[in-house]
Amino acid sequence: MEPNIKEVAGRIRALREDSELTMQEMADATGRSVAEYAAQESGNQDLSFTFLYKCAEKLGVDVIELLTGETPHLTGYSLTRAQDGLSIKRRAGFEYLHKAPHFKGKLAEPFLVTAPYLEEEQNVPIHLSRHKGQEIDYIISGRMRFAYEDHIEELSAGDMLMYDSGRGHGMIAIGGEPCVFLAFVLRPHDDEII
């Protein structure tokens, strides 16, 4: 199931209004101008995972609630079969498959990510994102160029990264084929469990 951007944006707007937060407060929380935030809340712009994560954090809900309108309800354990998960297609063809969308109180957001190989990305600076916490990326197949502020690394199957995701980071597939990796977005230790 692929979340509908207009529906997700509508949930963000409704939660913001219910919480009596201004667009300025949400813009500040997501690192955007009010105009940029308004365009995303209206559903007229794609919603990056970083934007969704920061909205969920400010609104005090699980990011899955923004994506599906449902509150995660499983406790104890959650099993997601190989082909299953919550599909999220964002950012230049990146495909994220959330592998535990129904588990309540997650300390991490687990994704199977497919980064497409795009020739036009190969010789330009890599777009950098930031979100609180840490991230672990484990390469399953293909190759990745990873940028961390002004550092560049190239990774292959079996390589793993762990980094402070509050600092600028980004990645692209290299080598002429998509890169598939497991990404675990870890919450800061001082955040409440959502």
Side-chain angles (χ1 to χ4, degrees):
M1 174 179 88
E2 174 68 23
N4 177 297
I5 291 174
K6 291 279 188 188
E7 290 175 7
V8 173
R11 282 190 279 276
I12 292 169
R13 183 185 66 256
L15 285 166
R16 177 183 61 77
E17 290 171 351
D18 287 350
S19 300
E20 298 181 354
L21 294 169
T22 66
M23 280 196 179
Q24 182 66 60
E25 290 171 309
M26 290 300 291
D28 291 345
T30 58
R32 283 153 176 73
S33 70
V34 172
E36 291 168 332
Y37 175 81
Q40 291 191 298
E41 186 185 272
S42 69
N44 292 329
Q45 273 188 3
D46 195 16
L47 309 174
S48 70
F49 181 74
T50 300
F51 174 79
L52 293 169
Y53 188 82
K54 288 178 177 180
C55 284
E57 183 177 61
K58 181 69 175 174
L59 296 166
V61 299
D62 192 296
V63 72
I64 298 305
E65 191 170 335
L66 294 181
L67 293 169
T68 67
E70 299 175 20
T71 301
H73 56 278
L74 296 177
T75 59
Y77 78 96
S78 171
L79 170 65
T80 305
R81 299 289 181 191
Q83 69 281 4
D84 295 334
L86 177 63
S87 177
I88 307 166
K89 294 180 181 169
R90 298 286 176 264
R91 201 187 133 222
F94 270 61
E95 293 184 28
Y96 297 82
L97 190 61
H98 197 296
K99 298 303 285 183
H102 303 295
F103 191 76
K104 184 178 180 178
K106 291 182 288 295
L107 298 177
E109 302 290 343
F111 296 95
L112 178 64
V113 182
T114 302
Y117 174 82
L118 299 171
E119 186 64 41
E120 62 270 19
E121 292 183 335
Q122 300 306 303
N123 296 307
V124 296
I126 296 172
H127 171 76
L128 302 180
S129 298
R130 292 167 181 75
H131 50 87
K132 287 183 185 177
Q134 297 176 341
E135 189 166 329
I136 297 171
D137 297 334
Y138 178 83
I139 311 304
I140 296 172
S141 65
R143 295 181 52 226
M144 171 195 289
R145 181 171 299 132
F146 173 77
Y148 188 77
E149 295 181 332
D150 58 352
H151 301 279
I152 301 290
E153 301 286 348
E154 292 193 0
L155 298 92
S156 300
D159 291 344
M160 188 195 89
L161 289 162
M162 183 170 185
Y163 50 94
D164 174 353
S165 53
R167 295 171 65 183
H169 63 280
M171 63 277 297
I172 61 169
I174 59 174
E177 63 182 341
C179 179
V180 178
F181 60 99
L182 287 172
F184 298 92
V185 179
L186 307 166
R187 297 188 195 296
H189 61 79
D190 58 350
D191 274 8
E192 288 182 35
I193 298 172
I194 296 174

